[in-house]
Amino acid sequence: MKRVFITGASSGIGAALAQYYAQQGAALGLVARRQPVLEQLLASLPHPERHRLYALDVNDHAALSAAAADFIAAGNGVDVVIASAGISQGTLTEHAEDQEVFGQVFATNVLATVATFTPFIANMKRQAREGQRDLRLVGVGSVAGIRGLPGAGAYSGSKAAVISYCESLRVELRASGIKVVTIVPGYIDTPMTQVNDYPMPFLMPAECFAAKTGAAVARGSSYQVIPWQMGVVAKLLRLLPNWLYDLVFSKAPHKARKGSD
């Protein structure tokens, strides 16, 4: 039985991953801020008695570490840790009030990813030394982190940081028996994207995304863009010279700022 710890489990990508792994027979540790929503999710999962709920804010690193310790003790280890908690908000650097939003986005998307992984690594190394295989740390980036998008400096910057951080961690842990998997979603049909009022090419249902993510995690893929079409787009974006990228994307729509219409 796989032991899978997931942050951001109450909705969107996290909830879809919880459903996927529960259907695969895993024992889950589910982290989100809202206890009632976690309980609703639990009631919808097969074998609810296998799963543990942790109602906490991922920015409370002490509470997150305590949850990790409890989950390890309950299952005598962990197999997969998925840091999927994340927020998105439009930002413009010219507005001083957006500095607070930048801090919130980076804290939740980047620092909480680090805080999610940290309390598991020592125990996972021990598990690897004892011969356990298929140990995974999974970070969730975004195609928005490939190149900076206008009006999304906080979100693009944070997801670029997640991608680079996971790459650093992957190299650090290469000889440990723990594989670090970076998942890079395109547009996934979740509450986060449902508020967007602009076209979202290759929009994928969350359930389909979760299944493809599960397969990539099982393979131990180092880096996987989902859906694959957005992987092609990401490669093309990397190739565009700055002058052409700036010309095209300076006209791109902006995500709404906090408190804006």
Side-chain angles (χ1 to χ4, degrees):
M1 186 188 303
K2 289 286 186 183
R3 300 153 296 181
V4 183
F5 188 88
I6 304 172
T7 67
S10 61
S11 66
I13 285 173
L17 288 167
Q19 290 283 354
Y20 171 81
Y21 278 105
Q23 290 165 11
Q24 301 298 310
L28 306 179
L30 302 174
V31 175
R33 288 177 299 170
R34 298 170 292 173
Q35 179 78 26
V37 180
L38 278 175
E39 290 175 353
Q40 291 174 7
L41 173 63
L42 180 66
S44 73
L45 300 177
H47 303 291
E49 71 282 357
R50 293 180 180 174
H51 315 310
R52 303 177 77 82
L53 304 182
Y54 303 100
L56 59 90
D57 188 326
V58 292
N59 293 309
D60 184 343
H61 298 173
L64 193 54
S65 182
D70 178 80
F71 188 70
I72 290 169
N76 192 30
V78 66
D79 298 290
V80 179
V81 179
I82 305 176
S84 66
I87 58 174
S88 176
Q89 187 68 60
T91 49
L92 290 173
T93 301
E94 66 193 81
H95 294 281
E97 62 269 26
D98 283 9
Q99 291 181 25
E100 182 178 354
V101 180
F102 270 87
Q104 293 168 349
V105 171
F106 270 80
T108 301
N109 294 0
V110 184
L111 299 183
T113 295
V114 179
T116 298
F117 293 159
T118 297
F120 286 104
I121 291 176
N123 200 79
M124 293 176 84
K125 284 184 173 181
R126 177 189 62 77
Q127 292 174 235
R129 289 193 299 269
E130 293 173 354
Q132 294 186 40
R133 298 290 180 264
D134 300 328
L135 303 173
R136 307 283 190 262
L137 298 173
V138 184
V140 180
S142 171
V143 169
I146 302 300
R147 298 202 71 163
L149 297 175
Y155 187 69
S156 287
S158 71
K159 290 303 185 178
V162 169
I163 291 169
S164 291
Y165 161 68
C166 287
E167 185 166 57
S168 294
L169 185 62
R170 186 181 75 238
V171 178
E172 289 172 17
L173 297 179
R174 183 175 181 273
S176 71
I178 305 167
K179 289 192 175 181
V180 178
V181 177
T182 306
I183 299 296
V184 183
Y187 290 113
I188 311 301
D189 189 7
T190 67
M192 185 183 289
T193 58
Q194 287 163 5
V195 300
N196 295 341
D197 59 359
Y198 47 81
M200 293 179 285
F202 313 117
L203 183 68
M204 174 177 278
E207 296 77 12
C208 183
F209 169 83
K212 292 184 180 298
T213 296
V217 171
R219 291 193 303 270
S221 300
S222 60
Y223 180 94
Q224 184 72 51
V225 180
I226 302 173
W228 68 266
Q229 294 94 332
M230 288 303 291
V232 175
V233 172
K235 289 180 180 179
L236 292 175
L237 289 177
R238 287 195 191 98
L239 294 174
L240 286 181
N242 286 348
W243 70 266
L244 182 55
Y245 178 83
D246 295 355
L247 177 66
V248 173
F249 280 85
S250 63
K251 303 173 184 177
H254 292 196
K255 196 175 186 74
R257 292 173 55 243
K258 186 175 183 179
S260 65
D261 295 330

